[in-house]
Amino acid sequence: MSFTIKNVLLATDDGYTTSDVQVVDGKITAIASNLEVVGNAIDGKNKLLLPGFVNAHTHSSEMWQRGVISAYPLELWLAELYDFAPIDTEKVYLSALGTAVETLLSGGTSVVDHLILIPGEELETIACAVRAYKEVGIRAFVAPLIQDESLTAGIPSGESSQTHEPFFRSTKATLQLIEEAVRQFHRPEEGVNILVAPTGIQLCTDALFEGCIELSDRYNLCRHSHLLETKAQEKLAQQKYGCTAVTHLKRIGYLGDRTSLAHCVWLNDADIAILAETQSTVVHNPLSNLRLGSGIAPILKYRQAGVNVTFGCDGASSNDSQDLLEAIKIGSILHNVTDFDYRQWITPRQAVEMASLGGVKGLNSADQLGSITVGKQADLVMYDLTNLSLLPRTDPIGLLVLGRPTNVVNSAWVNGKQIIANGQVTTINVDKLREELFNLSEWVSKRQSQTVGQIERHYRTVMGLI
Amino acid sequence: MSFTIKNVLLATDDGYTTSDVQVVDGKITAIASNLEVVGNAIDGKNKLLLPGFVNAHTHSSEMWQRGVISAYPLELWLAELYDFAPIDTEKVYLSALGTAVETLLSGGTSVVDHLILIPGEELETIACAVRAYKEVGIRAFVAPLIQDESLTAGIPSGESSQTHEPFFRSTKATLQLIEEAVRQFHRPEEGVNILVAPTGIQLCTDALFEGCIELSDRYNLCRHSHLLETKAQEKLAQQKYGCTAVTHLKRIGYLGDRTSLAHCVWLNDADIAILAETQSTVVHNPLSNLRLGSGIAPILKYRQAGVNVTFGCDGASSNDSQDLLEAIKIGSILHNVTDFDYRQWITPRQAVEMASLGGVKGLNSADQLGSITVGKQADLVMYDLTNLSLLPRTDPIGLLVLGRPTNVVNSAWVNGKQIIANGQVTTINVDKLREELFNLSEWVSKRQSQTVGQIERHYRTVMGLI
């Protein structure tokens, strides 16, 4: 866990410098020229060193359905997703491995997995994901996805007098489950964190949110939820609370500097001010928001209001990849069409800071992670600047963010442990993983989701599409 | 130029089938099971065969400035681009090689290069690009970018009484140049086509458009231009013609089924009807339109009106890559936020057809190219479905379009000649190319464009930003 990178390119305030970086026992101990080599010497020539990024919102097991879910908005897409979701913990393990590998190969050293739980095998599901992340060595923030209302409750009722099946597990049992998961798996010092993660206002009662707040406070856990991903959810919040979802979440005390909120597409200016005031973090998932037609999150407004923003890939069936550099690129340039004044646009350097420091802020870890600073933990990624996709040489960070870098991660370290070397994952056998993913799946073209058949008409009516 | 692919996955109307594909003398001669092997036998197992895509709008030499141009709208971005444009034909040759390689490795077998000409070395510039494309073996549509007004004329004058320097070369000399380029380089049967390519209404007089129409008719050349990429150009058209640019171009006879128009962001419904009526092709460059803040082109409206649409990467300093699969993905899902009714959204299969058949339609080649059909030329790409980025197995085309495929092109053929085998370009030495791109460039952070300094204040005034 000790090494010294020689002659690597580092970003400075207004340019680049070539320097050495020394890591001892997983922490950055020195950054200067001509440092004594402690531990292994790593050649940094023609390479760029950046802090590892955070894939700040994903659902790993969605990898089993990437590329196949129909062109639907979230509410129908979810119905198809759940109709075909894997119910096999071995698959959960494999897709967590796949998510970790793709995240690492695109500059991420941390992943927030809003993990879909297999009913009746909830703790086993969590155990499988945790095992996968520990094997790969990526820093894991496992956020077991919980709810206490049934899927159909997530669609506004409109004029109808629909009732919904009660959720199969009680609120109390769900909270006990999370507490047990914390006892079994929450080991921040080993790189595994459990988060409280009620899926969002669309499928959670206040009792569930309040139970999560209590657990978060008692065990010092971060909080993670979806927030106002779709216009339907905006309508639903008004129907449920008579106010915006953000106003309600503030009132019940869910927001704060350990709370990260995925999507945040349908917020108004007052909501944005509340996020700033509570120091909550927005996780922007641009590709998923486009794929599902959710809308363009007002990211430039968040930044102007002082809200911390970072990036996520979202689950691989609404994206449909786990390439963090792609999310960072699109999450930066997408907003140039929302504000005509180019002086507000996100620059590549700002994007890198959002993806690194911005990510760890929302995970209550900014004192330990997110920048190349003496005293911080060594979650680092080194990029090969001789790769064709980063040539000709111009601005390395510009090329990385605005280009489409391919095979550019030369090395990655988490807590000082090297888990990618020479572009290859060193901790697991990726060829074997590919073989298993191949063997456990088959090519399909069309599928029919039964649940979509049941709810589509109501959805179209409520959303004014009929 | 003869070979037989055995047991490859092909798309059918509603699914996939495994079949053999026979190619003789560059043409597809049979598609069926258990075909006799003619020429080389190619193993198609676990691979998907698609028609090659068209990178239907790019500017190859922009590769020298990718990753580095400031966050500017087109008009200022162009000023910075030209301040630092390469003036060295060797660089033009190398960036054409790079553009060809990146296009091929992302599924393209044809490239439309709206080629920026080095003043005084115009024919040499074209010769260098043609040489590069012939060496790589990609099908080339070289569209020498011409104009007869100076750069500042492309910004609306507003209240100012600005005058502009005359363009350094006369309209007549420019047209003679293009005619000479046609004589020297236009060899469709060898895979090299010259197009007439006035850059757009913002920098071209009617005399230049009319001269291009005449050359196009006389030599049977396709026509290629930018059209209404920015709001500034929409204003400019009104100032110049007192009507929309599309109305004007129709009036002078520029539109037609051999005319492809890059961007088409700022068109109204009447303009769209004109494009449909004239059977013009829209080339959608989604990444460039985002990067430059140009806006979201109304692609779903084009499709509904029956306008042919295809995709381009645009030049590598407004994107900043030449990955066609990225352009296809973003160009498909971007529009899900412009129309709430998901039944209008572009599906992966539609996107593939737009990128292949849609591309060649605009190049007057739909009878020869763009689909896997007996009798058509073999411009084919075979994808490796065992690659991690295409696993687990689901819908192969869905994975290809909606995912972020990396290193997935196993083989590519143009006119039956194999130019990628086992994921490697067979015709040129890519390592040597990388070395040359590296050696002829340097890492930079900030640059100051003198021209931006001169015109920014006027631009901000005219566009209402001051």
Side-chain angles (χ1 to χ4, degrees), chain A residues 9 14-16 46 63-64 66-68 71-73 76 101-102 287 289-293 295 319-321 323 326 329-330 333-334 336-337 340-343 345 385-386 388-389 391-396 398-399 402-407 434 437-438 441-445 456 459-460 463 465, chain B residues 9 14-16 46 63-64 66-68 71-73 76 101-102 287 289-293 295 319-321 323 326 329-330 333-334 336-337 340-343 345 385-386 388-389 391-396 398-399 402-407 434 437-438 441-445 456 459-460 463 465:
Chain A
L9 215 58
D14 56 355
Y16 297 94
N46 297 333
M63 188 174 262
W64 291 97
R66 65 177 172 186
V68 72
Y72 284 146
L76 302 180
V101 168
E102 292 196 354
L287 293 149
N289 294 163
L290 293 177
R291 196 317 193 175
L292 302 178
N319 174 330
D320 296 308
S321 91
D323 191 303
E326 182 186 34
K329 173 177 181 173
I330 304 303
I333 65 175
L334 178 58
N336 298 5
V337 296
F340 198 70
D341 194 345
Y342 50 91
R343 293 184 178 167
W345 296 353
L385 299 176
T386 69
L388 180 62
S389 62
L391 289 173
R393 291 189 283 172
T394 62
D395 179 350
L399 288 163
L402 296 172
R404 184 179 171 108
T406 305
N407 311 323
R434 283 173 45 225
L437 293 173
F438 187 96
S441 57
E442 56 186 15
W443 291 311
V444 294
S445 44
E456 187 175 16
Y459 176 83
R460 292 185 70 81
M463 299 312 293
L465 293 172
Chain B
L9 216 58
D14 57 354
Y16 296 93
N46 297 331
M63 186 174 262
W64 291 97
R66 66 176 172 187
V68 70
Y72 283 146
L76 300 180
V101 168
E102 292 196 355
L287 293 149
N289 293 164
L290 294 176
R291 161 40 152 140
L292 302 179
N319 175 330
D320 295 346
S321 91
D323 192 303
E326 181 186 35
K329 173 177 181 173
I330 303 304
I333 66 176
L334 178 58
N336 298 6
V337 296
F340 198 69
D341 193 345
Y342 49 91
R343 293 183 179 169
W345 297 353
L385 299 175
T386 69
L388 180 62
S389 63
L391 289 173
R393 289 189 283 171
T394 62
D395 179 350
L399 288 163
L402 297 171
R404 184 180 170 109
T406 305
N407 310 323
R434 283 172 46 225
L437 293 173
F438 187 95
S441 58
E442 56 186 15
W443 291 312
V444 293
S445 45
E456 186 173 15
Y459 176 83
R460 292 185 69 82
M463 299 312 293
L465 294 172

Side-chain angles (χ1 to χ4, degrees), chain B residues 133-147:
Chain B
Y133 293 134
K134 286 180 100 159
E135 282 180 18
V136 175
I138 199 168
R139 194 176 294 277
F141 296 83
V142 176
L145 188 153
I146 52 176
Q147 66 192 69

Side-chain angles (χ1 to χ4, degrees), chain A residues 59-66 77 81 116 314-318:
Chain A
H59 308 278
S60 59
S61 61
E62 283 188 18
M63 188 174 262
W64 291 97
Q65 294 188 73
R66 65 177 172 186
W77 173 94
L81 178 80
I116 299 169
D314 206 356
S317 44
S318 70

